[in-house]
Amino acid sequence: MVMKRMLWIAVIVAMTVIAGCGGKKAGDTAPPPVEPTPTPTETVQDIPATNDPVPSAQLDASMIGDVYFDYDSYNLTSEAKSTLEANARALKQVTAGALTIEGHCDERGTKAYNLALGEKRANAAKDFLVALGVDGSRLNTVSYGKERPFDDGHDESAWAKNRRAHFVIGQ
């Protein structure tokens, strides 16, 4: 019951934040329609830690995977959800350390539009992790829009790599 209430609160907060990002500028395109944060496929109890939590252990970059998004979207794909579920297991296993979730976009679209979309991507990943029982106070979000591409190419292959939520440990 408490988990459902927390999920609804997270959805309401996310929708409020998204609704408050209004104000079009010339050249901006409309953002994707607002959709509620997807519900995790597993509950907190369904995601067992491999061992007891280890508060003194350090998070390692190999423990956390990035998630990728479709063009012009912040909806989590089934592959992204699987990655986030694995990330949640690692974050619940190693209970010390903060994580920054960076929202990134490909080079298409305006700077303002991509900053907003990157923020929605980072928040979608964070909300999903929190719904899985990860302590939200350990998670920070930032959007870089199209300003920090992973791949400098100008084709679909490069763009697909740049549409991501990237996880940085210790920030």
Side-chain angles (χ1 to χ4, degrees):
M1 182 63 148
V2 172
M3 188 59 143
K4 285 183 181 179
R5 185 173 294 153
M6 288 177 57
L7 180 59
W8 276 112
I9 290 171
V11 168
I12 290 168
V13 168
M15 290 175 65
T16 303
V17 169
I18 290 168
C21 292
K24 281 190 164 186
K25 295 180 183 171
D28 283 354
T29 57
V34 177
E35 296 180 16
T37 303
T39 305
T41 56
E42 299 176 319
T43 63
V44 176
Q45 294 81 16
D46 295 328
I47 301 181
T50 53
N51 298 311
D52 291 331
V54 185
S56 61
Q58 293 292 321
L59 279 173
D60 182 281
S62 66
M63 301 168 78
I64 305 294
D66 290 350
V67 296
Y68 297 89
F69 295 85
D70 292 331
Y71 173 70
D72 200 30
S73 174
Y74 59 94
N75 294 326
L76 297 171
T77 64
S78 59
E79 185 176 332
K81 290 176 185 178
S82 294
T83 300
L84 289 170
E85 288 165 352
N87 289 356
R89 282 190 291 275
L91 288 166
K92 289 177 4 183
Q93 180 66 32
V94 180
T95 59
L99 192 69
T100 297
I101 306 170
E102 299 176 346
H104 295 273
C105 301
D106 62 37
E107 66 185 346
R108 298 171 288 180
T110 66
K111 181 177 181 177
Y113 177 79
N114 282 323
L115 283 171
L117 181 57
E119 181 179 352
K120 290 174 186 175
R121 288 174 174 171
N123 284 326
K126 178 182 178 178
D127 292 346
F128 195 84
L129 289 170
V130 169
L132 290 173
V134 175
D135 180 2
S137 68
R138 297 176 64 191
L139 306 173
N140 302 305
T141 60
V142 65
S143 175
Y144 291 114
K146 61 183 179 178
E147 302 305 312
R148 293 186 179 185
F150 178 76
D151 189 323
D152 289 327
H154 305 287
D155 58 14
E156 184 55 43
S157 173
W159 295 333
K161 294 174 192 169
N162 293 332
R163 296 188 302 259
R164 70 196 189 284
H166 176 66
F167 296 85
V168 180
I169 295 170
Q171 294 188 355

